[in-house]
């Protein structure tokens, strides 16, 4: 009987065997198996005599005075000693128990279930047909059964818990088998076992695995080998590996990018398990996103170039004036030099001064044309080292004629000692050019009041360079502010509505911000900040 109890690992069957054996050996008419769940005793099973057979019912409910004498049960749980009652209803210490009074209980035996000094519950037996039913010679056998039952119950519960955990793990693996590759490996480079998802990922089959043709060291491209050596050393020390990216060779020689995590087995630190996620689709999505971003940047550059060309078209008269001035001065100085040469004797010093002025005016005209050419040519973005104040002065010179034509007074307040910036000089000048032209056009339609345009720079508290363009025009309405930087929104007749949108994109590409606000007392204020690179500034 002891072997029968010890050999059963299914908990429900074990409880049935224990209860039937106890009832038969004790000569009891009723029995209860009480197991502790934490500190709470719960009735796990009840056995009763039904004619010549023993009926066992699994219950799983809290103990109560309606089911058994709790005073006896708690005494056994506290003392860990067996209690034998010859005639409970006749013994004063038990006669007051509600269960004994109600059932007129007589013979009672309550045995503790102890395994390796751990109390797991009690085995309660009773026979109300006669007193002193539980004879001493039977109690010795019952104590042996109780001891064996305690050990078997603990083992059966551990077995059940292990089976439940394995079932959960199996369900998890089955659920992830279509997307997560799993393989068992060793530090010699062998792949000992793998699921179908991993084999499909690399294009192999079960026959390749059985033949030993899969080695994770051979599947790893050469450029990843040194890194794998370091990871192997790390996993030997920590017993696990955080997820990291790498590549494997497929059977056809192509590569698959993967995310892999691994851990060693506690019982055999020379082997471990790895989980592998195929990143091919994610990498393709990232490539598509990069290509989309590249195309977006190309379109944006095309629009920016078109915007610059359109703006320069607006400045045709101003450009002609800027070029005509040095060209006219050059002609005048050349004529003067000729007159000094015709003098008797020739005034060579005066000729030399005229020639110097011709050189100066020629360089001035070349600078104007060079700036115009730089602004309208199509060139890839550059990362120049530049002084923002110099770039602003060039834009002011280029737009001076337009400002004079519309009666606008341009004032500059450029802070001294600003740090160097890194960025595309042409693009930043395009932003300034757009803001200045917009301000001049806004004020040209305003009646009354001075037309003033103020351009200023400063070093912001946030460590950025701040540029502000403020005008005294009609200002911005709340409706205009809401859509100001949206593409294709414009308040100009014939405008495309791309200028401010492109300006904001340029500033954001430089890591800065562009915003608009009302100017005080009237007009609009456009400001942008560009971050300073500490190394370049130093």
């Amino acid at each position: 009987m002891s072997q029968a109890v010890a050999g059963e690992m299914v908990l429900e069957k074990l409880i049935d065997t224990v209860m039937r054996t106890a009832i038969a050996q004790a000569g009891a008419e009723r029995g209860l198996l009480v197991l502790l769940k934490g500190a709470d005793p719960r009735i796990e099973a009840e056995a009763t005599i039904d004619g010549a057979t023993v009926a066992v019912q699994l219950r799983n409910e809290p103990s109560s005075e309606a089911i058994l004498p709790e005073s006896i049960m708690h005494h056994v749980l506290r003392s860990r000693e067996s209690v034998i009652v010859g005639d409970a209803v006749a013994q004063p210490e038990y006669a007051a128990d509600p269960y004994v009074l109600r059932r007129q209980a007589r013979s009672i035996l309550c045995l503790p279930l102890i395994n390796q000094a751990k109390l797991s519950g009690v085995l309660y037996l009773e026979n109300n047909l006669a007193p002193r039913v539980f004879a001493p010679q039977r109690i010795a056998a019952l104590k042996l059964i109780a001891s064996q039952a305690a050990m078997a119950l603990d083992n059966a519960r551990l077995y059940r818990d292990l089976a439940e955990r394995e079932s959960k793990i199996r369900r998890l693996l089955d659920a992830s088998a279509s997307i997560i590759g799993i393989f068992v490996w060793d530090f010699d480079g062998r792949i000992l076992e793998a699921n179908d998802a991993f084999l499909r990922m690399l294009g192999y089959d079960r026959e390749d695995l059985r033949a030993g043709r899969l080695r994770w060291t051979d599947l790893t491209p050469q450029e990843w080998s040194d890194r794998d050596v370091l990871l192997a050393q790390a996993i030997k020390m920590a017993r696990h590996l955080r997820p990291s990216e790498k590549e494997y060779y497929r059977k056809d020689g192509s590569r698959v990018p993967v995310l892999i995590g691994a851990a060693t087995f506690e019982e055999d630190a020379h082997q471990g398990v790895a989980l592998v996620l195929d990143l091919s689709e994610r990498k393709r999505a990232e490539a598509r996103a990069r290509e989309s971003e590249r195309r977006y940047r190309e379109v944006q550059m095309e629009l920016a170039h078109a915007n610059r060309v359109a703006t320069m078209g607006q400045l045709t008269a101003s450009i002609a004036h800027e070029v005509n001035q040095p060209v006219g001065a050059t002609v005048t100085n050349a004529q003067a030099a000729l007159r000094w040469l015709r003098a008797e004797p020739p005034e060579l010093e005066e000729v030399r001064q005229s020639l110097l002025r011709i050189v100066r005016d020629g360089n001035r005209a070349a600078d104007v044309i060079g700036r115009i050419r730089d602004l309208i040519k199509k060139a890839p973005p550059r990362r120049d080292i530049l002084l923002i104040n110099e770039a602003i002065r060039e834009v002011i010179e280029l737009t001076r004629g337009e400002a004079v034509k519309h009666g606008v007074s341009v004032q500059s307040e450029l802070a001294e000692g600003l740090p160097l910036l890194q960025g595309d000089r042409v693009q930043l000048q395009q932003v300034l050019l757009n803001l200045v032209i917009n301000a001049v056009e806004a004020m040209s339609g305003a009646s009354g009041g001075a037309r003033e345009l103020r351009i200023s720079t400063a070093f912001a508290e946030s460590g950025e360079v701040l540029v502000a363009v403020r005008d005294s025009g009609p200002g911005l309405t709340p409706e205009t502010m809401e859509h100001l930087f949206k593409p294709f929104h414009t308040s100009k007749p014939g405008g495309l509505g791309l200028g401010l949108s492109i300006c904001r994109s340029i500033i954001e590409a430089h890591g800065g911000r562009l915003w608009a606000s009302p100017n005080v007392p009237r007009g609009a204020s456009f400001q942008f900040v560009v971050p300073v690179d500490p190394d370049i500034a130093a």
Side-chain angles (χ1 to χ4, degrees):
M1 287 184 290
S2 177
Q3 289 176 352
V5 170
E8 184 58 69
M9 296 303 295
V10 179
L11 186 60
E12 291 76 10
K13 293 182 178 180
L14 174 63
I15 290 174
D16 185 88
T17 301
V18 167
M19 297 306 294
R20 291 179 185 278
T21 302
I23 291 291
Q25 287 300 304
E29 62 169 352
R30 181 171 179 264
L32 295 171
L33 178 63
V34 182
L35 298 180
L36 293 174
K37 296 293 179 68
D40 301 325
R42 296 184 65 84
I43 307 297
E44 292 292 330
E46 179 180 17
T48 55
I49 296 293
D50 183 11
T53 63
V54 178
V56 179
Q57 180 184 5
L58 301 178
R59 300 190 61 163
N60 189 20
E61 61 184 78
S63 68
S64 67
E65 63 183 21
I67 300 175
L68 80 169
E70 289 196 308
S71 59
I72 296 176
M73 179 191 69
H74 287 302
H75 175 78
V76 174
L77 290 175
R78 285 194 304 270
S79 65
R80 298 191 173 201
E81 296 290 340
S82 301
V83 170
I84 305 172
V85 180
D87 195 352
V89 73
Q91 293 182 229
E93 63 267 36
Y94 303 117
D97 188 281
Y99 178 84
V100 173
L101 283 174
R102 183 171 55 83
R103 290 289 299 266
Q104 292 295 297
R106 309 197 70 180
S107 299
I108 294 175
L109 173 59
C110 193
L111 301 167
L113 301 177
I114 300 175
N115 179 33
Q116 296 182 350
K118 179 185 176 183
L119 178 69
S120 58
V122 298
L123 178 62
Y124 172 82
L125 301 169
E126 72 177 31
N127 190 320
N128 294 332
L129 300 177
R132 288 173 290 280
V133 169
F134 304 120
Q137 63 270 26
R138 291 188 174 183
I139 293 173
L142 288 170
K143 285 184 176 181
L144 175 61
I145 292 173
S147 175
Q148 190 69 57
M151 182 186 304
L153 286 168
D154 282 348
N155 291 338
R157 283 192 292 190
L158 290 174
Y159 180 81
R160 184 184 63 181
D161 291 344
L162 178 61
E164 288 178 352
R165 284 198 297 270
E166 288 182 348
S167 176
K168 290 178 181 178
I169 292 172
R170 176 55 56 189
R171 288 197 299 271
L172 176 63
L173 294 180
D174 290 343
S176 61
S178 61
I179 57 174
I180 298 179
I182 304 171
F183 68 90
V184 178
W185 51 269
D186 64 18
F187 283 107
D188 295 330
R190 293 179 298 173
I191 293 180
L192 308 175
E193 186 55 79
N195 69 346
D196 292 338
F198 180 74
L199 295 175
R200 284 195 306 270
M201 194 182 300
L202 301 185
Y204 288 93
D205 54 32
R206 287 280 159 196
E207 181 57 34
D208 296 312
L209 182 64
R210 284 191 290 268
R213 288 192 283 270
L214 269 69
R215 297 178 58 85
W216 61 265
T217 49
D218 297 337
L219 294 173
T220 302
Q222 184 62 37
E223 61 266 28
W224 295 91
S225 298
D226 293 341
R227 180 174 173 272
D228 275 2
V229 171
L230 296 176
L231 293 178
Q233 294 173 353
I235 198 173
K236 285 180 180 179
M237 296 177 61
R239 291 187 176 275
H240 71 277
L241 177 66
R242 289 185 176 182
S244 60
E245 292 188 19
K246 66 171 293 183
E247 288 181 322
Y248 280 133
Y249 281 125
R250 290 190 179 96
K251 190 174 183 178
D252 61 8
S254 62
R255 297 189 182 198
V256 54
V258 299
L259 181 70
I260 181 170
T264 58
F265 296 130
E266 290 294 333
E267 63 272 14
D268 187 356
H270 188 67
Q271 296 179 356
V273 63
L275 304 180
V276 184
L277 182 64
D278 189 344
L279 298 181
S280 298
E281 185 56 39
R282 195 187 83 174
K283 294 296 184 182
R284 284 192 289 268
E286 290 175 353
R288 289 194 295 268
R290 286 193 298 269
E291 177 62 19
S292 177
E293 178 70 14
R294 185 190 65 79
R295 289 197 298 268
Y296 169 76
R297 291 296 176 192
E298 286 181 354
V299 172
Q300 189 179 52
M301 286 177 60
E302 292 287 344
L303 289 173
H305 178 252
N307 178 259
R308 285 199 298 272
V309 173
T311 304
M312 298 308 294
Q314 292 179 271
L315 295 176
T316 301
S318 177
I319 293 168
H321 175 75
E322 289 294 322
V323 174
N324 281 335
Q325 275 192 328
V327 169
T330 299
V331 172
T332 300
N333 284 303
Q335 291 172 343
L338 289 173
R339 286 197 301 272
W340 291 118
L341 284 173
R342 284 195 295 266
E344 291 294 341
E347 295 288 343
L348 297 181
E349 179 58 28
E350 295 295 338
V351 172
R352 190 179 72 85
Q353 292 296 328
S354 296
L355 292 175
L356 288 175
R357 288 192 291 272
I358 289 172
V359 172
R360 181 197 64 194
D361 292 333
N363 287 334
R364 180 181 168 192
D367 286 344
V368 172
I369 294 171
R371 288 199 298 271
I372 295 168
R373 185 186 63 216
D374 287 342
L375 275 172
I376 63 174
K377 73 180 180 180
K378 186 187 297 184
R382 297 174 54 181
R383 304 299 289 178
D384 304 317
I385 307 299
L386 59 96
L387 285 169
I388 192 66
N389 286 349
E390 288 185 2
I392 292 173
R393 290 189 185 101
E394 290 178 3
V395 173
I396 291 174
E397 287 295 324
L398 192 61
T399 56
R400 187 181 303 280
E402 191 74 8
V404 170
K405 183 175 71 174
H406 292 284
V408 175
S409 170
V410 180
Q411 302 175 14
S412 60
E413 298 176 1
L414 307 181
E416 297 295 331
L418 291 179
L420 291 167
L421 298 179
Q422 185 178 33
D424 191 305
R425 184 189 191 92
V426 171
Q427 288 188 357
L428 291 176
Q429 285 184 322
Q430 178 180 353
V431 173
L432 288 162
L433 186 65
N434 270 100
L435 297 180
V436 169
I437 294 299
N438 287 349
V440 170
E441 290 182 348
M443 287 186 286
S444 67
S447 59
R451 297 178 179 179
E452 296 179 347
L453 176 63
R454 180 174 298 176
I455 303 173
S456 63
T457 58
F459 191 66
E461 294 181 358
S462 57
E464 300 166 306
V465 170
L466 170 68
V467 179
V469 178
R470 299 181 177 90
D471 64 62
S472 59
L476 302 168
T477 64
E479 293 79 11
T480 303
M481 288 285 290
E482 184 179 352
H483 305 285
L484 194 60
F485 294 99
K486 291 183 178 179
F488 307 109
H489 176 81
T490 180
S491 58
K492 300 179 186 178
L496 292 177
L498 291 173
L500 288 177
S501 173
I502 291 171
C503 288
R504 172 171 276 186
S505 297
I506 290 173
I507 295 301
E508 289 178 349
H510 283 75
R513 295 179 295 116
L514 170 64
W515 70 95
S517 60
N519 191 29
V520 178
R522 64 192 178 93
S525 171
F526 286 84
Q527 301 177 71
F528 66 85
V529 290
V530 180
V532 176
D533 188 315
D535 296 332
I536 294 174

